[in-house]
Amino acid sequence: MPGLASPFARPTLVAVALAAAGAVQALPALPAAQAYAQATSTDFAGNACDSGLLVGASSASAGCASVSTGVNAGSLATAGSGSVRITSNADTQSTGLDSHAGNGWSSAGFVDWMAIAGPAGKTGVLTGTLYFSGGLGASANGSANSSTNAGASYNFSASFFGQNVGLSGGVLQATNGTSNSSNPAGGAFTVTAPISFGNDGWAIGAITMTAITQAESAARPYQQTSASPLISADARAAAAFGHTLYWGGITILTVDGVELSGYALTSASGADYRFSTSPVPEPGTVALMLVGLGAISWRKRRSRL
Protein backbone atom coordinates (compact mmCIF):
# COMPACT_ATOMS: atom_id res chain seq x y z
CA MET A 1 0.00 0.00 0.00
CA PRO A 2 1.58 3.31 -0.98
CA GLY A 3 1.79 6.00 1.66
CA LEU A 4 -0.42 9.05 1.83
CA ALA A 5 0.80 11.77 -0.45
CA SER A 6 2.11 14.87 1.29
CA PRO A 7 3.35 18.19 -0.11
CA PHE A 8 7.11 18.51 -0.22
CA ALA A 9 9.53 21.20 -1.25
CA ARG A 10 11.69 20.54 -4.29
CA PRO A 11 13.71 22.75 -6.62
CA THR A 12 12.33 23.29 -10.08
CA LEU A 13 14.95 22.17 -12.57
CA VAL A 14 15.14 22.45 -16.31
CA ALA A 15 16.42 19.29 -17.96
CA VAL A 16 19.43 19.78 -20.14
CA ALA A 17 18.15 16.80 -22.09
CA LEU A 18 15.19 18.82 -23.35
CA ALA A 19 17.10 19.51 -26.54
CA ALA A 20 16.71 15.85 -27.37
CA ALA A 21 12.96 16.31 -27.51
CA GLY A 22 13.43 17.82 -30.93
CA ALA A 23 14.37 14.36 -32.16
CA VAL A 24 11.02 12.87 -31.10
CA GLN A 25 9.41 11.14 -34.04
CA ALA A 26 5.76 11.06 -35.03
CA LEU A 27 3.14 10.10 -32.44
CA PRO A 28 3.13 6.33 -31.87
CA ALA A 29 0.03 4.22 -32.40
CA LEU A 30 -1.62 3.42 -29.07
CA PRO A 31 -4.02 0.61 -28.15
CA ALA A 32 -7.61 1.80 -27.81
CA ALA A 33 -8.95 3.01 -24.47
CA GLN A 34 -11.79 0.98 -23.01
CA ALA A 35 -14.21 1.36 -20.10
CA TYR A 36 -16.84 -0.94 -18.62
CA ALA A 37 -19.64 -0.65 -16.08
CA GLN A 38 -22.24 -2.97 -14.59
CA ALA A 39 -24.86 -2.51 -11.87
CA THR A 40 -27.23 -5.04 -10.30
CA SER A 41 -29.74 -5.08 -7.48
CA THR A 42 -31.92 -7.79 -5.96
CA ASP A 43 -34.68 -7.92 -3.37
CA PHE A 44 -34.57 -11.70 -2.92
CA ALA A 45 -38.28 -11.93 -3.58
CA GLY A 46 -37.99 -12.57 -7.27
CA ASN A 47 -37.44 -8.95 -8.27
CA ALA A 48 -34.04 -8.10 -9.68
CA CYS A 49 -32.39 -5.96 -12.31
CA ASP A 50 -29.05 -6.17 -14.05
CA SER A 51 -27.67 -3.55 -16.39
CA GLY A 52 -25.52 -6.18 -18.06
CA LEU A 53 -21.89 -5.54 -18.86
CA LEU A 54 -21.67 -2.22 -20.72
CA VAL A 55 -18.44 -1.49 -22.59
CA GLY A 56 -17.46 1.81 -24.17
CA ALA A 57 -14.52 3.12 -26.16
CA SER A 58 -13.58 5.60 -23.43
CA SER A 59 -16.56 5.76 -21.04
CA ALA A 60 -19.42 3.62 -19.78
CA SER A 61 -22.28 4.15 -17.31
CA ALA A 62 -24.78 1.78 -15.74
CA GLY A 63 -27.58 2.11 -13.22
CA CYS A 64 -30.02 -0.34 -11.69
CA ALA A 65 -32.68 -0.25 -8.96
CA SER A 66 -35.02 -2.79 -7.36
CA VAL A 67 -37.89 -1.24 -5.45
CA SER A 68 -40.60 -3.39 -3.88
CA THR A 69 -42.47 -3.69 -0.60
CA GLY A 70 -39.94 -3.30 2.17
CA VAL A 71 -36.93 -3.02 -0.15
CA ASN A 72 -35.12 -0.20 -1.92
CA ALA A 73 -31.83 -1.40 -3.44
CA GLY A 74 -29.82 0.24 -6.17
CA SER A 75 -26.43 0.72 -7.78
CA LEU A 76 -24.71 3.21 -10.07
CA ALA A 77 -21.41 2.80 -11.90
CA THR A 78 -19.55 5.17 -14.22
CA ALA A 79 -16.06 4.82 -15.66
CA GLY A 80 -14.15 7.11 -17.98
CA SER A 81 -10.67 8.34 -18.70
CA GLY A 82 -9.01 8.88 -15.35
CA SER A 83 -11.98 8.35 -13.03
CA VAL A 84 -14.35 5.69 -11.73
CA ARG A 85 -17.51 6.51 -9.77
CA ILE A 86 -19.49 3.82 -8.05
CA THR A 87 -22.25 3.56 -5.44
CA SER A 88 -24.47 0.82 -3.99
CA ASN A 89 -27.22 0.86 -1.38
CA ALA A 90 -29.68 -1.59 0.17
CA ASP A 91 -32.47 -0.35 2.44
CA THR A 92 -34.92 -2.88 3.91
CA GLN A 93 -37.65 -2.93 6.54
CA SER A 94 -39.96 -5.62 7.83
CA THR A 95 -43.64 -5.27 6.95
CA GLY A 96 -45.83 -7.09 9.43
CA LEU A 97 -44.58 -10.64 9.80
CA ASP A 98 -42.68 -10.52 6.51
CA SER A 99 -38.91 -10.37 6.28
CA HIS A 100 -37.19 -8.50 3.47
CA ALA A 101 -33.65 -8.46 2.13
CA GLY A 102 -31.85 -6.50 -0.56
CA ASN A 103 -28.52 -6.30 -2.32
CA GLY A 104 -26.85 -3.67 -4.48
CA TRP A 105 -23.66 -4.36 -6.44
CA SER A 106 -21.65 -2.23 -8.87
CA SER A 107 -18.50 -2.73 -10.88
CA ALA A 108 -16.65 -0.31 -13.15
CA GLY A 109 -13.20 0.19 -14.62
CA PHE A 110 -11.17 1.50 -17.52
CA VAL A 111 -7.82 1.18 -19.24
CA ASP A 112 -6.16 3.98 -21.18
CA TRP A 113 -2.80 4.18 -22.91
CA MET A 114 -0.47 7.15 -23.05
CA ALA A 115 2.82 8.17 -24.61
CA ILE A 116 5.23 10.68 -23.06
CA ALA A 117 7.99 12.44 -24.99
CA GLY A 118 11.53 12.60 -23.62
CA PRO A 119 15.20 12.07 -24.45
CA ALA A 120 15.60 9.01 -26.69
CA GLY A 121 17.15 5.96 -25.06
CA LYS A 122 16.94 7.38 -21.55
CA THR A 123 15.10 6.11 -18.47
CA GLY A 124 13.11 8.25 -16.09
CA VAL A 125 10.93 8.21 -12.99
CA LEU A 126 7.32 9.33 -13.18
CA THR A 127 5.43 10.31 -10.03
CA GLY A 128 1.70 10.95 -9.84
CA THR A 129 -1.20 10.91 -7.41
CA LEU A 130 -4.39 8.87 -7.10
CA TYR A 131 -7.37 10.04 -5.06
CA PHE A 132 -10.44 8.29 -3.78
CA SER A 133 -13.20 9.45 -1.46
CA GLY A 134 -16.52 8.29 -0.11
CA GLY A 135 -17.80 6.24 2.76
CA LEU A 136 -19.48 3.13 4.06
CA GLY A 137 -22.54 3.10 6.27
CA ALA A 138 -24.62 0.42 7.96
CA SER A 139 -27.50 0.46 10.39
CA ALA A 140 -29.50 -2.51 11.72
CA ASN A 141 -32.37 -2.10 14.16
CA GLY A 142 -34.52 -4.93 15.47
CA SER A 143 -34.83 -7.57 18.13
CA ALA A 144 -31.61 -9.12 19.40
CA ASN A 145 -33.35 -12.45 18.78
CA SER A 146 -33.71 -11.81 15.07
CA SER A 147 -31.01 -11.87 12.44
CA THR A 148 -31.46 -8.37 11.10
CA ASN A 149 -28.17 -7.22 9.57
CA ALA A 150 -26.53 -4.81 7.14
CA GLY A 151 -23.10 -4.53 5.59
CA ALA A 152 -21.20 -2.64 2.92
CA SER A 153 -17.81 -3.01 1.27
CA TYR A 154 -15.57 -1.60 -1.43
CA ASN A 155 -12.58 -2.83 -3.39
CA PHE A 156 -10.46 -0.50 -5.52
CA SER A 157 -7.28 -1.08 -7.47
CA ALA A 158 -5.22 0.83 -10.00
CA SER A 159 -2.00 0.65 -11.99
CA PHE A 160 0.21 3.26 -13.63
CA PHE A 161 2.98 2.30 -16.06
CA GLY A 162 3.01 -1.16 -14.51
CA GLN A 163 3.03 0.00 -10.87
CA ASN A 164 0.08 -1.45 -8.96
CA VAL A 165 -1.73 0.48 -6.26
CA GLY A 166 -3.92 -1.43 -3.80
CA LEU A 167 -6.79 0.69 -2.57
CA SER A 168 -8.90 -2.30 -1.62
CA GLY A 169 -10.50 -3.16 1.66
CA GLY A 170 -13.09 -2.09 4.13
CA VAL A 171 -16.13 -4.03 5.28
CA LEU A 172 -18.70 -2.64 7.68
CA GLN A 173 -21.26 -4.80 9.43
CA ALA A 174 -24.19 -4.02 11.72
CA THR A 175 -26.34 -6.70 13.37
CA ASN A 176 -29.54 -6.84 15.42
CA GLY A 177 -29.61 -3.25 16.51
CA THR A 178 -26.26 -3.53 18.26
CA SER A 179 -24.42 -1.11 16.00
CA ASN A 180 -25.03 1.97 13.91
CA SER A 181 -21.85 2.83 12.09
CA SER A 182 -20.37 4.93 9.36
CA ASN A 183 -16.86 4.72 7.95
CA PRO A 184 -15.68 7.58 5.76
CA ALA A 185 -12.90 6.45 3.48
CA GLY A 186 -10.47 8.21 1.22
CA GLY A 187 -7.07 9.66 0.75
CA ALA A 188 -4.34 10.66 -1.65
CA PHE A 189 -1.89 8.00 -2.75
CA THR A 190 1.45 8.57 -4.44
CA VAL A 191 2.48 6.20 -7.22
CA THR A 192 6.02 6.19 -8.64
CA ALA A 193 6.86 4.33 -11.84
CA PRO A 194 10.08 3.88 -13.82
CA ILE A 195 9.68 4.62 -17.54
CA SER A 196 11.91 4.09 -20.54
CA PHE A 197 12.07 6.30 -23.62
CA GLY A 198 12.54 4.35 -26.82
CA ASN A 199 14.78 5.25 -29.72
CA ASP A 200 11.89 7.32 -31.07
CA GLY A 201 11.79 9.40 -27.88
CA TRP A 202 8.46 8.04 -26.61
CA ALA A 203 7.71 6.17 -23.35
CA ILE A 204 4.45 4.20 -23.61
CA GLY A 205 2.42 2.87 -20.69
CA ALA A 206 -1.10 2.25 -19.43
CA ILE A 207 -3.24 3.58 -16.62
CA THR A 208 -6.01 1.38 -15.24
CA MET A 209 -8.59 1.69 -12.49
CA THR A 210 -11.19 -0.78 -11.25
CA ALA A 211 -13.76 -0.57 -8.48
CA ILE A 212 -16.43 -2.76 -6.91
CA THR A 213 -18.96 -1.79 -4.24
CA GLN A 214 -21.59 -3.89 -2.53
CA ALA A 215 -24.33 -3.24 0.02
CA GLU A 216 -26.54 -5.86 1.64
CA SER A 217 -29.24 -5.70 4.27
CA ALA A 218 -31.94 -7.94 5.72
CA ALA A 219 -34.77 -6.88 8.03
CA ARG A 220 -36.49 -9.65 9.98
CA PRO A 221 -39.28 -9.09 12.52
CA TYR A 222 -39.49 -11.06 15.74
CA GLN A 223 -42.45 -12.35 17.72
CA GLN A 224 -41.81 -14.78 20.55
CA THR A 225 -45.35 -16.14 20.57
CA SER A 226 -48.52 -15.29 18.68
CA ALA A 227 -49.67 -13.38 21.77
CA SER A 228 -46.42 -11.44 22.10
CA PRO A 229 -45.83 -7.97 20.64
CA LEU A 230 -44.33 -7.94 17.16
CA ILE A 231 -40.91 -6.31 17.06
CA SER A 232 -40.34 -4.82 13.63
CA ALA A 233 -36.93 -4.29 12.05
CA ASP A 234 -35.13 -2.15 9.52
CA ALA A 235 -31.65 -2.31 8.02
CA ARG A 236 -29.75 0.03 5.75
CA ALA A 237 -26.38 -0.20 4.06
CA ALA A 238 -24.54 2.03 1.60
CA ALA A 239 -21.18 2.10 -0.13
CA ALA A 240 -21.22 5.62 -1.51
CA PHE A 241 -18.25 6.94 -3.47
CA GLY A 242 -19.38 9.95 -5.51
CA HIS A 243 -15.83 10.70 -6.68
CA THR A 244 -14.56 7.22 -5.91
CA LEU A 245 -11.23 6.86 -7.72
CA TYR A 246 -9.58 9.43 -9.95
CA TRP A 247 -6.19 10.49 -11.22
CA GLY A 248 -4.76 13.56 -9.51
CA GLY A 249 -2.14 14.41 -12.11
CA ILE A 250 1.58 13.87 -12.68
CA THR A 251 3.63 15.47 -9.93
CA ILE A 252 7.08 15.23 -11.47
CA LEU A 253 9.01 13.47 -14.24
CA THR A 254 12.75 13.13 -13.77
CA VAL A 255 15.47 11.85 -16.10
CA ASP A 256 18.90 11.16 -14.57
CA GLY A 257 17.65 12.86 -11.41
CA VAL A 258 16.77 16.06 -13.25
CA GLU A 259 13.19 17.28 -13.64
CA LEU A 260 11.94 17.18 -17.21
CA SER A 261 9.55 20.05 -17.77
CA GLY A 262 7.50 21.03 -20.78
CA TYR A 263 7.25 17.46 -22.05
CA ALA A 264 4.51 16.32 -24.41
CA LEU A 265 1.90 13.71 -23.47
CA THR A 266 -0.75 12.06 -25.61
CA SER A 267 -3.31 9.39 -24.71
CA ALA A 268 -5.63 7.09 -26.62
CA SER A 269 -8.71 8.71 -25.04
CA GLY A 270 -7.44 12.27 -25.43
CA ALA A 271 -7.16 12.82 -21.65
CA ASP A 272 -4.16 14.82 -20.48
CA TYR A 273 -2.87 12.89 -17.49
CA ARG A 274 -0.43 15.63 -16.59
CA PHE A 275 -3.42 17.17 -14.82
CA SER A 276 -6.19 16.02 -12.49
CA THR A 277 -9.18 14.16 -13.92
CA SER A 278 -11.37 14.85 -10.88
CA PRO A 279 -14.99 14.28 -11.94
CA VAL A 280 -18.11 16.15 -10.87
CA PRO A 281 -20.50 13.81 -9.04
CA GLU A 282 -23.60 12.97 -11.05
CA PRO A 283 -26.87 14.12 -9.42
CA GLY A 284 -28.07 10.52 -9.19
CA THR A 285 -24.91 9.47 -7.39
CA VAL A 286 -25.21 12.31 -4.89
CA ALA A 287 -28.88 11.50 -4.27
CA LEU A 288 -28.10 7.84 -3.70
CA MET A 289 -25.33 8.75 -1.28
CA LEU A 290 -27.63 11.02 0.71
CA VAL A 291 -30.38 8.41 0.83
CA GLY A 292 -28.03 5.71 2.08
CA LEU A 293 -25.80 7.58 4.50
CA GLY A 294 -28.37 10.22 5.44
CA ALA A 295 -30.77 7.51 6.56
CA ILE A 296 -28.07 6.11 8.81
CA SER A 297 -27.48 9.51 10.39
CA TRP A 298 -31.22 9.87 10.96
CA ARG A 299 -31.32 6.48 12.63
CA LYS A 300 -28.44 7.48 14.90
CA ARG A 301 -30.20 10.64 15.99
CA ARG A 302 -33.45 8.80 16.65
CA SER A 303 -31.69 6.18 18.75
CA ARG A 304 -30.37 8.92 21.07
CA LEU A 305 -33.80 10.40 21.68
Side-chain angles (χ1 to χ4, degrees):
M1 172 74 72
L4 288 175
S6 59
F8 59 93
R10 57 174 172 78
T12 300
L13 305 175
V14 178
V16 295
L18 273 177
V24 171
Q25 298 180 15
L27 294 177
L30 296 174
Q34 190 174 76
Y36 74 89
Q38 186 171 7
T40 68
S41 68
T42 311
D43 65 10
F44 300 121
N47 299 308
C49 69
D50 187 343
S51 66
L53 182 61
L54 305 177
V55 179
S58 59
S59 65
S61 296
C64 186
S66 283
V67 180
S68 60
T69 302
V71 179
N72 183 343
S75 295
L76 293 170
T78 300
S81 303
S83 66
V84 179
R85 292 169 286 180
I86 197 166
T87 303
S88 300
N89 80 300
D91 300 337
T92 55
Q93 65 182 85
S94 60
T95 54
L97 292 172
D98 294 330
S99 299
H100 296 284
N103 176 288
W105 178 89
S106 294
S107 177
F110 81 92
V111 57
D112 198 4
W113 291 84
M114 72 184 78
I116 298 176
K122 290 283 189 175
T123 59
V125 177
L126 193 61
T127 302
T129 308
L130 284 166
Y131 290 90
F132 81 111
S133 61
L136 301 178
S139 172
N141 299 277
S143 169
N145 295 309
S146 73
S147 53
T148 294
N149 62 83
S153 64
Y154 68 86
N155 189 304
F156 301 153
S157 62
S159 68
F160 183 62
F161 273 81
Q163 298 301 300
N164 296 323
V165 181
L167 304 180
S168 61
V171 177
L172 189 68
Q173 190 75 24
T175 307
N176 294 337
T178 59
S179 59
N180 294 275
S181 306
S182 63
N183 179 25
F189 295 83
T190 299
V191 55
T192 300
I195 63 173
S196 298
F197 297 99
N199 292 330
D200 60 357
W202 289 101
I204 298 175
I207 179 171
T208 69
M209 296 182 188
T210 61
I212 297 173
T213 57
Q214 184 168 4
E216 298 179 283
S217 67
R220 298 178 174 90
Y222 177 77
Q223 189 175 33
Q224 186 173 10
T225 69
S226 59
S228 302
L230 178 67
I231 302 176
S232 61
D234 65 81
R236 305 173 186 273
F241 294 85
H243 279 146
T244 306
L245 182 62
Y246 68 91
W247 179 245
I250 293 174
T251 307
I252 185 173
L253 168 59
T254 61
V255 177
D256 293 335
V258 179
E259 180 178 356
L260 187 66
S261 60
Y263 57 88
L265 183 150
T266 185
S267 70
S269 68
D272 190 342
Y273 292 101
R274 292 174 297 183
F275 308 104
S276 172
T277 58
S278 172
V280 176
E282 294 176 347
T285 301
V286 175
L288 193 58
M289 183 189 305
L290 294 177
V291 168
L293 297 181
I296 293 166
S297 298
W298 172 83
R299 175 58 63 182
K300 282 185 175 181
R301 291 194 300 271
R302 198 185 78 165
S303 65
R304 290 196 293 266
L305 296 178

